[in-house]
Amino acid sequence: MTDDAAPDLRASDADRERVAAVLRDALAEGRLDMDEFEERLDATYKARTYRELEPITRDLPAPGVTAPAVSLTKGPERGDTWADRVVPGSEGTSTWAVAVMSGFQRKGRWTAPRRFNCFTFMGGGQIDLREANFADREVVINAVAIMGGVDVIVPPGVEVVVRGFGLMGGFDHSEEGEPGDPGAPRVIVTGFAFWGGVGVQRKLARAEKQRLREERRREKLDRQDRQDRQEHGRDLDASSSSGQASLGHGGHGVGHGYGSFDSLHGRQGEEQREREPRRDGDR
């Protein structure tokens, strides 16, 4: 008999009980919920062959077999640190770009080479390094802009050096002088601009912008929640003080009423005593 024919053999009651025992262990360990357990147990007792029994416990560990350990600690994602993004010796995704009365873009996940050359004539280009990897710790962007422009966007933490020359044009030096983070690359912007310009901007990546926006939103909600609680507490204090004042006023009114009743009763007694002597005199 071949191995292929073995799964078609008829299963015995003992075979079904062994499968049922695996299912009970899985239920006790939390691998199956009650609905899954009942569904598989019903299929177990209806199975007639090994081929029908085999899928029932295919995703469950066999008795005596230790399941692989699951790490509950989240490790750093690739690309989150400069050590992951600076890869010396790697080749750039793109090493040059040309835009003649048109435009070009290099952005997103790409690898900036050690030297990137670009040329624009009556056009524009954008070199976005916010999500880029770097082929070296120092990359050079050589930009030539003739009656056009090139925008270089770098993320925070990157050191920028500008060495370009402009004739009736210019290079942006506003981002120079900021020290880079440890391990971060240095970006050197050089080239020539004639009736054009090469700008350098420092911006956050989209994911970082979204994270900061979400943090600000949560902080705003927390502040609003604290203010609502404080206002609610002041309303409760005011209501309590108003209730106590009303109760005190009512007690005074009751006391005043008792006082009026006593005074009236006293006057009635005096009038009665004054009338009694006159009646004796009449006799």
Side-chain angles (χ1 to χ4, degrees):
M1 181 179 297
T2 63
D3 293 338
D4 294 339
D8 291 328
L9 292 176
R10 304 283 293 191
S12 66
D13 290 340
D15 296 327
R16 284 184 279 270
E17 285 300 328
R18 282 193 290 270
V19 174
V22 174
L23 295 177
R24 294 188 189 97
D25 291 340
L27 177 65
E29 295 170 354
R31 302 181 190 277
L32 297 176
D33 58 27
M34 185 56 69
D35 292 337
E36 292 174 320
F37 170 74
E38 292 178 352
E39 180 181 352
R40 296 194 187 197
L41 189 64
D42 183 63
T44 298
Y45 288 119
K46 289 181 179 179
R48 297 183 178 181
T49 65
Y50 289 135
R51 187 182 296 275
E52 294 173 349
L53 284 175
E54 191 272 337
I56 296 174
T57 58
R58 179 180 298 164
D59 58 347
L60 299 176
V65 176
T66 303
V70 178
S71 175
L72 300 181
T73 303
K74 186 180 188 304
E77 298 181 1
R78 288 184 58 84
D80 286 348
T81 64
W82 290 118
D84 295 325
R85 296 179 60 179
V86 179
V87 188
S90 61
E91 296 184 359
T93 305
S94 175
T95 58
W96 62 275
V98 175
V100 178
M101 292 184 291
S102 61
F104 72 84
Q105 280 187 330
R106 298 293 185 272
K107 65 178 184 177
R109 284 289 184 181
W110 68 294
T111 300
R114 285 184 292 273
R115 185 179 181 88
F116 184 86
N117 297 306
C118 59
F119 173 80
T120 61
F121 176 75
M122 298 182 66
Q126 184 185 75
I127 304 170
D128 192 340
L129 301 174
R130 288 177 292 177
E131 300 178 10
N133 295 328
F134 298 85
D136 204 342
R137 294 194 179 277
E138 181 174 286
V139 298
V140 177
I141 296 176
N142 181 46
V144 177
I146 307 297
M147 292 183 290
V150 176
D151 288 327
V152 180
I153 304 176
V154 299
V158 171
E159 182 185 1
V160 175
V161 177
V162 179
R163 298 174 180 169
F165 172 73
L167 178 62
M168 291 185 290
F171 280 71
D172 186 3
H173 293 259
S174 61
E175 296 300 334
E176 281 190 301
E178 182 172 333
D181 292 342
R186 181 167 68 162
V187 176
I188 299 175
V189 180
T190 185
F192 175 72
F194 176 72
W195 281 13
V198 177
V200 182
Q201 304 178 60
R202 194 181 301 272
K203 295 182 179 180
L204 292 172
R206 294 180 181 85
E208 186 68 12
K209 284 183 179 179
Q210 182 64 28
R211 185 185 66 80
L212 294 176
R213 190 180 298 115
E214 185 65 21
E215 286 183 358
R216 287 193 294 268
R217 187 184 70 84
R218 286 197 297 266
E219 291 175 356
K220 182 179 180 181
L221 291 176
D222 291 342
R223 287 195 301 269
Q224 184 64 42
D225 183 63
R226 288 194 296 269
Q227 292 176 0
D228 292 342
R229 290 182 181 180
Q230 292 174 356
E231 292 177 1
H232 182 65
R234 287 195 293 268
D235 292 341
L236 290 178
D237 292 341
S239 299
S240 176
S241 301
S242 176
Q244 291 176 359
S246 300
L247 180 61
H249 181 73
H252 176 74
V254 172
H256 180 73
Y258 286 150
S260 298
F261 177 78
D262 292 340
S263 300
L264 179 61
H265 181 71
R267 287 196 299 271
Q268 289 176 352
E270 292 176 358
E271 291 176 357
Q272 184 176 1
R273 285 192 297 271
E274 290 176 356
R275 286 195 299 270
E276 286 177 354
R278 286 199 297 272
R279 284 198 295 270
D280 291 342
D282 293 342
R283 290 193 192 110

XYZ file of all heavy atoms in Angstrom, residues 20-21 25 86 89 98 102 111 200 219 263 278-279:
93
model
N -10.455 14.351 19.125
C -11.308 15.090 20.064
C -10.504 15.554 21.278
O -10.725 16.659 21.807
C -12.487 14.228 20.498
N -9.552 14.730 21.734
C -8.716 15.121 22.875
C -7.855 16.328 22.523
O -7.653 17.236 23.351
C -7.842 13.940 23.298
N -7.956 20.041 24.418
C -6.773 20.755 24.912
C -6.686 22.161 24.298
O -6.344 23.130 24.990
C -5.503 19.960 24.591
C -5.407 18.678 25.395
O -6.084 18.581 26.437
O -4.666 17.770 24.967
N 20.965 55.178 6.106
C 22.264 55.446 5.480
C 22.947 54.112 5.220
O 23.323 53.398 6.150
C 23.133 56.339 6.381
C 24.484 56.576 5.716
C 22.434 57.662 6.662
N 27.826 52.294 0.232
C 28.112 51.285 -0.779
C 26.937 50.923 -1.656
O 27.119 50.259 -2.690
N 16.518 65.613 -15.923
C 16.525 66.750 -16.842
C 15.084 67.203 -17.052
O 14.185 66.368 -17.242
C 17.175 66.389 -18.195
C 17.049 67.565 -19.170
C 18.640 66.018 -18.012
N 9.586 71.618 -18.744
C 8.766 70.571 -18.113
C 9.211 70.469 -16.656
O 9.729 71.427 -16.096
C 8.931 69.237 -18.855
O 10.289 68.804 -18.822
N 16.495 55.809 -3.135
C 17.850 55.895 -2.594
C 18.597 57.014 -3.299
O 18.804 56.963 -4.514
C 18.601 54.563 -2.765
O 17.892 53.538 -2.078
C 20.007 54.666 -2.188
N 16.073 75.410 -0.837
C 16.242 74.316 0.129
C 15.213 74.506 1.240
O 15.150 75.581 1.853
C 17.663 74.283 0.713
C 17.803 73.112 1.674
C 18.700 74.193 -0.400
N -4.381 65.997 22.554
C -4.165 66.983 23.603
C -5.321 67.969 23.678
O -5.751 68.360 24.774
C -2.857 67.733 23.342
C -1.602 66.872 23.526
C -0.347 67.619 23.145
O -0.469 68.773 22.678
O 0.759 67.053 23.293
N -46.414 85.350 70.103
C -46.808 86.710 70.427
C -48.315 86.863 70.427
O -48.919 87.508 71.304
C -46.177 87.687 69.425
O -44.764 87.592 69.481
N -63.109 93.470 85.312
C -64.266 94.287 85.023
C -65.537 93.513 85.279
O -66.531 94.010 85.774
C -64.216 94.766 83.564
C -63.172 95.880 83.357
C -63.479 96.616 82.060
N -63.378 95.745 80.938
C -62.230 95.542 80.288
N -61.140 96.162 80.651
N -62.230 94.733 79.243
N -65.517 92.245 84.983
C -66.721 91.447 85.250
C -66.966 91.321 86.752
O -68.081 91.326 87.245
C -66.567 90.067 84.585
C -66.768 90.123 83.056
C -67.044 88.707 82.549
N -65.875 87.850 82.751
C -64.922 87.716 81.846
N -64.983 88.348 80.718
N -63.914 86.914 82.131
